[in-house]
Amino acid sequence: MQSGLNRGVLLIDIKGLQLTSEENQLLSLPSVAGVVLFSRNYQSRDQLIALVSSIRDVRQDLLICVDQEGGRVQRFKDGFTRLPPAQAYGSFDPGQQYHMAYEAGWLMACELLACGVDLCLGPVLDIDHGKTSVVGDRAFGRTAEQVIQLASLWVDGVHEAGMSVVIKHFPGHGNVDTDSHVSLPLDDRTFDEIWQSDMEPFQVVIRKGVEALMPAHILFPAIEQYPVGYSPEWLKGVLRNQLAFEGLVVSDCLSMEGAAKTGSYPARARAALDAGCDLLIICNRQGVLDVLDEMDGSGLQGVGPDDLMPDSYTDWASLERSERYQKVRKMLANAFGEV
């Protein structure tokens, strides 16, 4: 991975299909590390490539991210391969599902890189316990073994394409029936119960080697008084010390209601940084401005996202000429319908 001088910590959103003058100014600030793109930022591949180019014109070292898991969570659709939800791979025999998970990870990363996008915020390592639609078919399976096998192969495919990964939502979001986008979920289990079930995929995939991890906005009252993303006990004690994770910790969006009980946006940012987060996602313009006003120069300089930047990019025309790319698209179309 490339090494640079970027030491910002904020990953922010933008409003539309093109950068505004205010967004140009925000992205030039050293405290801003990059951009998270959404469906509202996508109209076509050509438009996306132009948008990415305009972001690079502001600063070459900005990290450009998107959720492109597949299924319900795929921000770029028309012009991109329609990817199945992660759980769909498990409906095939083992040889097929393993091959498809690997190749789909590779294809997803290749398509993003061909448009200049650096990072997919995934994969999900949550186990689907049947308790929440927030996870549901986004999970690779209903057991730790299924999730470990398929997620590991998906990660390997992404890595082969040259892209980093962000495993989420540590230590597991599948056991709560509340959506952290709208409120703070509570999980009353003990640490041993979580360690023996939901945390196993994280243990295994971390040992394989991953670049980044996203903690869940969940409170485990039997273990700690703070939600995971604000908890030194979880992020420093468990993640860094017990699991020996050495990558970057990327907060889940601090605009979610599950993150709101800590207070103002500057309070949320301070708490997440103090707990051990390296990069902070804030998808609220006033929230970003409040954090910059109160904290710029006093905590918004960090390790930076340099290690998440790919070494190289390709172009869409070359990708489409690739025999492997054509075969993978045909395989996914035959298995899941129109791609």
Side-chain angles (χ1 to χ4, degrees):
M1 298 295 172
Q2 294 175 338
S3 178
L5 298 175
N6 191 330
R7 292 294 180 267
V9 300
L10 298 182
L11 298 174
I12 69 173
D13 64 331
I14 60 176
K15 294 178 180 178
L17 302 175
Q18 299 174 323
L19 291 181
T20 65
S21 57
E22 179 194 42
E23 288 163 351
N24 269 280
Q25 293 177 341
L26 282 175
L27 294 178
S28 68
L29 298 175
S31 298
V32 175
V35 176
V36 180
L37 298 178
F38 292 87
S39 297
R40 67 175 180 269
N41 305 124
Y42 182 76
Q43 185 177 66
S44 67
R45 285 202 314 266
D46 287 344
Q47 170 270 324
L48 175 63
I49 291 168
L51 174 60
V52 168
S53 178
S54 68
I55 294 170
R56 299 279 184 231
D57 285 343
V58 178
R59 271 177 41 208
Q60 285 289 322
D61 60 353
L62 288 167
L63 183 71
I64 303 175
C65 315
V66 69
D67 283 306
Q68 194 78 348
E69 300 169 18
R72 303 179 271 139
V73 185
Q74 179 171 343
R75 307 305 186 200
F76 307 151
K77 294 180 179 177
D78 296 340
F80 280 75
T81 301
R82 295 292 185 99
L83 299 167
Q87 204 163 96
Y89 301 114
S91 61
F92 296 86
D93 68 61
Q96 285 179 293
Q97 62 182 263
Y98 299 161
H99 180 64
M100 283 192 290
Y102 184 100
E103 293 296 304
W106 173 85
L107 178 141
M108 180 282 301
C110 286
E111 289 190 339
L112 291 183
L113 291 171
C115 293
V117 177
D118 305 309
L119 187 68
C120 169
L121 297 171
V124 165
L125 296 192
D126 305 317
I127 300 170
D128 177 21
H129 294 299
K131 293 189 176 182
T132 174
S133 61
V134 176
V135 175
D137 64 2
R138 295 172 67 191
F140 281 96
R142 295 181 173 88
T143 68
E145 293 75 19
Q146 287 177 312
V147 171
I148 290 167
Q149 184 67 63
L150 291 173
S152 294
L153 289 163
W154 196 89
V155 166
D156 288 343
V158 173
H159 279 164
E160 188 200 337
M163 181 177 284
S164 297
V165 296
V166 184
I167 57 175
K168 61 186 185 184
H169 304 86
F170 176 79
H173 204 304
N175 195 61
V176 293
D177 58 7
T178 304
D179 182 352
S180 55
H181 290 85
V182 298
S183 62
L184 176 63
L186 301 180
D187 190 327
D188 291 322
R189 290 178 299 167
T190 66
F191 183 81
D192 286 343
E193 290 174 314
I194 300 162
W195 182 271
Q196 294 297 328
S197 60
D198 293 64
M199 215 184 304
E200 187 179 1
F202 291 94
Q203 298 175 59
V204 174
V205 178
I206 284 171
R207 286 198 298 267
K208 284 175 57 68
V210 292
E211 294 80 12
L213 174 147
M214 181 180 289
H217 289 313
I218 296 178
L219 178 64
F220 295 88
I223 302 166
E224 160 71 296
Q225 63 178 319
Y226 302 111
V228 179
Y230 296 139
S231 167
E233 176 67 26
W234 276 110
L235 300 186
K236 296 178 181 178
V238 178
L239 182 61
R240 296 295 190 191
N241 295 336
Q242 292 184 246
L243 298 185
F245 178 68
E246 296 180 349
L248 297 181
V249 177
V250 182
S251 81
D252 206 345
C253 185
L254 298 186
S255 305
M256 294 163 60
E257 282 302 309
K261 291 188 181 297
T262 300
S264 66
Y265 277 97
R268 299 177 209 182
R270 287 192 195 93
L273 290 170
D274 288 346
C277 289
D278 300 299
L279 295 170
L280 310 180
I281 298 177
I282 302 180
C283 296
N284 176 286
R285 183 54 47 80
Q286 189 58 52
V288 169
L289 295 175
D290 289 348
V291 169
L292 290 169
D293 284 345
E294 289 198 30
M295 294 185 65
D296 199 13
S298 60
L300 294 182
Q301 304 303 302
V303 297
D306 306 337
D307 288 341
L308 302 183
M309 299 288 284
D311 289 322
S312 62
Y313 303 87
T314 183
D315 63 88
W316 200 277
S318 298
L319 180 61
E320 284 190 315
R321 289 194 296 269
S322 161
E323 182 178 353
R324 179 179 177 185
Y325 177 72
Q326 294 170 18
K327 285 183 176 179
V328 176
R329 278 180 54 85
K330 183 177 180 180
M331 174 184 68
L332 294 175
N334 289 337
F336 303 107
E338 182 180 357
V339 297

